[in-house]
């Protein structure tokens, strides 16, 4: 059975029922449903039930969560042996921002199960030395999950800002390392205080005096490189101007 | 998925149980290389997962009753060399052997059964197949010569 919950299937069926005239055959029905699998559109499942029972093409539905168990690691049996399995577009951040946190939480697990299923199929295809049907599905799911994560972290940051005034969840500080670079050092949780932590004390958060000449050399190198690039640009402009006197000079 | 490493809070005696929302771990069901008992399922799991993690994962997300779990780490070989004679490492992975509770059994199904499909009318596949068939027909020798090559003869 499909990896999505029965709710997901019902919702996709809902959309098809709205275009009743276009539903022609059961096979088309199955394909489109499968195609909508990773693209989970939220709608109330209860509304659709009465419609579905009247339509003879419906498969058996139940509103309880899917109890397929280990079958969810595999595709729908109709898709076994196919070379191409149609799938929808990945979720965009804009679409995800419109969803509630509860919906996003559920969607995460839908995507997780789908990815597990695809990884299983990929490994089995490698074992049987057969091409996996539609491998782009894995990338789509990865992208959807990444975007989901960004949306959730955006919401968490906003909440944290309002409640505590901090943007970052993990505390840190600007520190200088032995090479003279100032960077954002993120704190780590330890069971003992820092003055008892031998490994932490060996880490130097200051630049010793003997490193200064090397920093100077680094700065000189950087300045030379910058000057070289500027020079190159100017020379190129001059050459072009000589060849094409009427050329409009591009302002940099 | 965050680019930096996920740090879980340090556990000390008396701390509340760690809850993980939106786990970033993916299990792969694999066909066992060696013959396994009928109730054993073989998974490839990320290195960071433990037996308890796998048990909770399967029970909560997949609703699968889990009995015993055994894990091992498979070392990926570092022996093969590329065209620059550098050693290429195959990644290490952790394998979990999960025994199902309540007397359930599991056999790994055949996901790639042979399906003969007729290509659609007027499609590229149909034209390609027709072309290939025509080519094969041209390569065949004269059937009247009974399998003897063109080399013989007057």
């Amino acid at each position: 059975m499909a990896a999505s919950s029965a709710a997901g299937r019902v919702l996709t069926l809902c959309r098809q029922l709205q275009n009743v005239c276009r539903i022609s055959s059961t096979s088309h029905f199955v394909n489109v449903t499968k195609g909508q699998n990773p693209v989970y559109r939220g709608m109330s499942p209860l509304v659709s039930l009465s419609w579905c029972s009247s339509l003879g093409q419906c498969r058996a539905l139940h509103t309880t969560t899917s109890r397929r168990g280990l079958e969810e690691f595999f595709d729908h049996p109709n898709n076994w042996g196919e070379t191409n399995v149609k799938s929808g577009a990945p979720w965009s951040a804009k679409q995800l921002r419109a969803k509630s946190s509860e919906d996003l939480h559920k969607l995460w697990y839908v995507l997780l199960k789908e990815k597990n299923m695809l990884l299983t199929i990929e490994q089995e295809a490698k074992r049987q030395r057969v091409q996996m049907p539609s491998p782009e599905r894995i990338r789509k799911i990865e992208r959807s999950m990444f975007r989901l994560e960004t949306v959730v972290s955006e919401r968490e940051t906003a909440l944290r800002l309002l409640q505590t005034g901090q943007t970052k969840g993990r505390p840190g500080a600007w520190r200088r390392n032995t090479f003279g670079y100032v960077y954002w050092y993120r704190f780590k949780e330890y069971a003992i205080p820092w003055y008892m932590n031998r490994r932490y004390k060996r880490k130097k958060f200051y630049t010793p005096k003997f490193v200064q000449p090397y920093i100077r050399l680094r700065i000189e190198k950087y300045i030379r490189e910058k000057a070289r690039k500027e020079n190159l640009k100017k020379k190129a402009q001059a050459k072009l101007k000589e060849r094409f006197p009427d050329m409009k000079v591009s302002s940099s | 998925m965050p680019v930096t490493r996920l740090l879980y809070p340090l556990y000390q005696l008396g701390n509340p149980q760690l809850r993980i929302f939106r786990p970033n771990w993916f299990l792969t069901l694999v066909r066992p290389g060696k013959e396994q008992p009928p109730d054993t399922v073989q998974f490839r799991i990320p290195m960071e997962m433990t037996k308890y993690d796998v048990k909770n994962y399967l029970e909560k997300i997949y609703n699968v009753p889990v009995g015993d779990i055994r894990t091992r780490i498979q070392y990926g070989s570092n022996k093969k060399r590329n065209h620059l004679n550098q050693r290429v490492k195959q990644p290490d992975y952790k394998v979990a052997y999960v025994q199902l509770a309540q007397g359930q059994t599991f056999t790994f199904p055949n996901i790639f059964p042979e399906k003969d499909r007729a290509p659609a009318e007027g499609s590229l596949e149909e034209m390609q197949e027709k072309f290939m068939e025509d080519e094969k027909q041209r390569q065949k020798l004269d059937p009247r010569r009974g399998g003897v090559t063109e080399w013989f003869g007057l």
Side-chain angles (χ1 to χ4, degrees):
Chain A
M1 276 298 183
S4 69
S5 66
R9 238 179 295 122
V10 168
L11 305 172
T12 55
L13 287 171
C14 251
R15 286 186 77 213
Q16 303 318 311
L17 285 169
Q18 282 166 9
N19 319 325
V20 163
C21 47
R22 289 197 217 137
I23 295 178
S24 48
S25 66
T26 335
S27 57
H28 166 75
F29 197 60
V30 168
N31 266 347
V32 176
T33 320
K34 190 75 197 90
Q36 299 300 328
N37 207 341
V39 188
Y40 171 89
R41 303 287 180 198
M43 261 169 72
S44 153
L46 301 169
V47 178
S48 57
L49 254 186
S50 51
W51 300 1
C52 285
S53 49
S54 55
L55 217 57
Q57 288 164 330
C58 280
R59 283 174 288 168
L61 300 170
H62 51 92
T63 44
T64 51
T65 46
S66 170
R67 289 173 198 284
R68 299 282 169 261
L70 289 172
E71 286 175 29
E72 286 180 320
F73 277 101
F74 305 103
D75 218 346
H76 192 98
N78 287 4
N79 291 344
W80 291 1
E82 298 282 335
T83 38
N84 283 319
V85 176
K86 285 195 218 161
S87 56
W91 282 89
S92 74
K94 204 168 158 187
Q95 292 163 346
L96 291 168
R97 278 189 198 108
K99 297 289 167 197
S100 71
S101 301
E102 201 189 314
D103 273 346
L104 288 182
H105 189 83
K106 290 182 191 169
L107 178 62
W108 179 270
Y109 289 99
V110 170
L111 293 172
L112 187 95
K113 287 206 219 177
E114 182 76 15
K115 184 150 180 204
N116 283 348
M117 182 255 280
L118 292 171
L119 288 173
T120 315
I121 294 177
E122 194 184 19
Q123 187 56 44
E124 182 61 19
K126 283 186 195 166
R127 177 70 77 90
Q128 304 293 344
R129 294 186 227 186
V130 156
Q131 232 191 12
M132 177 197 172
S134 323
E136 70 273 359
R137 294 182 281 176
I138 303 186
R139 321 285 157 246
K140 288 184 192 172
I141 298 259
E142 276 174 14
R143 264 178 254 150
S144 304
M145 291 182 106
F146 181 80
R147 288 162 193 171
L148 207 162
E149 192 72 45
T150 32
V151 167
V152 168
S153 61
E154 273 173 17
R155 291 187 187 176
E156 280 181 358
T157 324
L159 207 63
R160 206 184 299 118
L161 261 176
L162 286 170
Q163 287 178 339
T164 56
Q166 309 287 333
T167 359
K168 296 185 169 68
R170 187 168 162 190
W174 288 105
R175 289 198 185 164
R176 190 185 294 274
N177 69 0
T178 30
F179 301 110
Y181 290 113
V182 175
Y183 68 106
W184 180 256
Y185 170 75
R186 293 180 314 146
F187 295 154
K188 193 178 155 188
E189 215 176 332
Y190 291 103
I192 45 174
W194 68 268
Y195 48 84
M196 289 167 63
N197 196 342
R198 290 200 185 168
R199 184 144 46 101
Y200 177 84
K201 282 197 282 191
R202 279 191 301 227
K203 209 173 155 112
K204 294 197 249 306
F205 288 113
Y206 61 91
T207 318
K209 240 173 48 184
F210 59 82
V211 179
Q212 292 300 334
Y214 298 100
I215 296 178
R216 195 195 154 94
L217 287 170
R218 205 170 59 209
I219 295 172
E220 285 174 10
K221 185 176 174 183
Y222 171 73
I223 290 175
R224 255 184 237 128
E225 209 175 303
K226 218 163 64 153
R228 260 206 307 268
K229 267 208 252 178
E230 287 291 322
N231 219 4
L232 183 70
K233 242 194 264 183
K234 269 197 220 140
K235 286 223 175 91
Q237 283 292 321
K239 214 168 168 184
L240 280 174
K241 192 77 185 165
E242 191 195 314
R243 181 71 183 79
F244 306 108
D246 306 325
M247 187 185 83
K248 275 197 270 277
V249 179
S250 63
S251 57
S252 51
Chain B
M1 265 65 79
V3 178
T4 50
R5 216 157 65 99
L6 270 178
L7 258 197
Y8 296 109
L10 202 65
Y11 178 80
Q12 289 175 304
L13 189 65
N15 283 10
Q17 172 69 52
L18 173 66
R19 312 275 170 205
I20 299 177
F21 301 109
R22 300 183 314 273
N24 200 14
W25 300 321
F26 307 104
L27 306 191
T28 316
L29 230 182
V30 296
R31 186 187 287 271
K34 290 199 172 142
E35 196 58 44
Q36 296 288 340
D39 59 346
T40 308
V41 192
Q42 195 170 334
F43 288 100
R44 280 196 194 178
I45 61 182
M47 294 285 250
E48 301 88 24
M49 276 183 98
T50 54
K51 292 182 190 183
Y52 301 100
D53 287 332
V54 174
K55 191 172 160 89
N56 289 337
Y57 193 101
L58 287 173
E59 282 180 346
K60 300 265 162 65
I61 304 183
Y62 283 92
N63 206 7
V64 166
V66 161
D68 189 31
I69 300 194
R70 296 178 294 277
T71 55
R72 67 178 177 92
I73 297 185
Q74 174 61 51
Y75 169 75
S77 89
N78 201 8
K79 196 174 192 187
K80 285 203 181 152
R81 289 178 184 260
N82 62 5
H83 62 285
L84 299 165
N85 207 27
Q86 298 159 340
R87 272 183 297 178
V88 178
K89 165 85 180 156
Q90 246 101 32
D92 302 328
Y93 54 89
K94 203 181 242 192
V95 180
Y97 300 92
V98 173
Q99 284 194 300
L100 304 169
Q102 292 158 22
Q104 294 184 358
T105 51
F106 177 78
T107 44
F108 201 94
N110 179 20
I111 312 181
F112 301 106
E114 285 299 320
K115 270 194 193 176
D116 37 58
R117 53 187 77 81
E121 292 299 306
S123 73
L124 188 65
E125 282 88 26
E126 206 214 341
M127 290 199 294
Q128 280 175 336
E129 284 206 18
K130 257 186 64 170
F131 179 75
M132 291 309 292
E133 276 202 37
D134 285 337
E135 283 295 312
K136 280 204 202 115
Q137 197 57 39
R138 273 185 6 153
Q139 296 297 334
K140 276 210 191 92
L141 305 162
D142 194 353
R144 293 174 294 185
R145 289 176 62 81
V148 182
T149 46
E150 299 281 330
W151 196 86
F152 294 102
L154 307 157

